[in-house]
């Protein structure tokens, strides 16, 4: 899912019609309609009902809009912060990170831009595993990724950031048998139906590995790239999911409960700053060093 698709959907909902949204977005109405249809197909749910008087947001569409508008607002703010310090000549850096990191650490990125206005950070948002693949393909210069590092080539120019991590939790329906627990272990959930993010994310990679190491195969019944769609599956099908617990602050839902995962291997994912910038080029590598210092101070 692309940020532009979130922007398109938010515009349609807020203007109340495809025609008005297309005008605001400076694009044709057929192109906008096609993009929204593609988004619905990706999410496998109808977001908008088209009527003669405009559009009506479905129940699923309202849930998606509530989350999407917050993400778009944060991304727009981050874009404005980057552009406000723009100079005539900038060193453009392609910076990979997850949407969760872009929201959690916006203040630190703002601090870097303020101190080093000659550098422009162009953000690329994907899952941690996918970002690492993009670095191997030289599509990203610097990235804030969660451990583990899957490619040895990246490890030599990687630095762990002290105090940068996300804790992992279990999300389940409020009436679930485990909902009153303070925390659970993998042994508690090995018989549960699990909805999980795809293997583009570190969690999607590491949960099956951890379960296998503990001697069982997890009952993963559903996977999707989109966190909110995973949460919808949890609510609709009485399943559970394993996600960064910080998402509870972003996707506020009264029908779901978040509890801690008690596991000493993947209960917490630490973050590392990784670079493809050439350390033989002092000026270029200093950008990485300065960014590391700004994030780690």
């Amino acid at each position: 899912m692309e940020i532009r698709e979130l922007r398109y959907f938010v515009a349609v909902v807020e203007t109340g019609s495809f025609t008005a949204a297309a005008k605001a977005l400076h694009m044709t109405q057929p192109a906008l309609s096609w993009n929204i249809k593609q988004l619905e197909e990706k999410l496998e749910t109808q977001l908008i009902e088209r009527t003669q008087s405009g559009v009506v947001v479905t129940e699923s569409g309202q849930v998606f809009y509530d989350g999407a508008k917050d993400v778009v607002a944060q991304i727009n703010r981050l874009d404005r912060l980057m552009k406000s310090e723009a100079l005539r000549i900038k060193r453009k850096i392609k910076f990979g990170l997850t949407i969760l990191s872009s929201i959690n650490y916006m203040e630190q990125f703002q601090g870097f831009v303020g101190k080093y206005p000659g550098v422009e950070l162009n953000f690329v948002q994907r899952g941690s595993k996918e970002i690492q693949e993009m670095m191997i393909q030289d599509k990203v210069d610097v990235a804030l990724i969660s451990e583990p590092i899957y490619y040895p080539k990246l490890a030599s120019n990687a630095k762990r950031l002290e105090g940068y991590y996300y804790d992992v939790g279990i999300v389940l329906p409020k009436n679930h048998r485990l909902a009153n627990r303070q925390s659970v272990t993998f042994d508690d959930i090995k018989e549960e139906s699990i909805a999980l993010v795809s293997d583009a994310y570190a969690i999607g990679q590491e949960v099956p590995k951890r379960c296998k190491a503990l001697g069982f195969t997890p009952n993963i019944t559903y996977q999707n790239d989109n966190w909110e769609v995973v949460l919808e599956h949890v609510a609709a099908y009485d399943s559970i999911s394993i996600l960064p617990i910080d998402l509870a602050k972003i996707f506020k839902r009264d029908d779901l409960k978040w509890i801690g995962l008690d596991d000493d291997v993947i209960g917490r994912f630490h973050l590392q700053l990784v670079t493809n910038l050439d350390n033989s080029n002092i000026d270029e590598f200093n950008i990485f060093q300065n960014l590391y210092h700004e994030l780690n101070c």
Side-chain angles (χ1 to χ4, degrees), residues 101 104-105 107-109 144-147 160-166 268-272 291-297:
S101 290
N104 283 348
Y105 305 117
E107 183 178 348
Q108 287 84 347
F109 294 130
L144 184 60
I145 60 174
S146 61
E147 297 174 356
R160 179 185 276 197
L161 293 165
E162 296 303 321
Y164 284 67
Y165 58 82
Y166 64 82
R268 172 172 289 180
F269 283 78
H270 290 275
L271 302 186
Q272 294 210 28
L291 183 55
Y292 172 75
H293 175 75
E294 187 63 36
L295 292 175
N296 210 42
C297 65

Side-chain angles (χ1 to χ4, degrees), residues 78-79 82 93-97 102 109 121-125:
L78 189 55
D79 285 343
M82 299 301 105
I93 299 295
K94 290 174 287 186
F95 191 101
L97 76 173
S102 73
F109 294 130
L121 300 180
N122 295 326
F123 291 97
V124 179
Q125 285 135 349

Side-chain angles (χ1 to χ4, degrees), residues 171-187:
V171 58
L172 35 70
K174 276 201 168 180
N175 60 356
H176 194 278
R177 65 180 183 85
L178 297 172
N180 292 326
R181 299 278 294 272
Q182 294 298 311
S183 65
V184 297
T185 66
F186 275 108
D187 188 60

Side-chain angles (χ1 to χ4, degrees), residues 83-115:
K83 292 174 182 177
S84 66
E85 298 294 333
L87 297 178
R88 187 176 62 85
I89 299 175
K90 284 182 176 287
R91 173 65 171 93
K92 294 183 179 181
I93 299 295
K94 290 174 287 186
F95 191 101
L97 76 173
T98 65
I99 292 178
L100 183 60
S101 290
S102 73
I103 294 172
N104 283 348
Y105 305 117
M106 183 180 298
E107 183 178 348
Q108 287 84 347
F109 294 130
Q110 180 182 0
F112 175 81
V113 170
K115 290 182 180 179

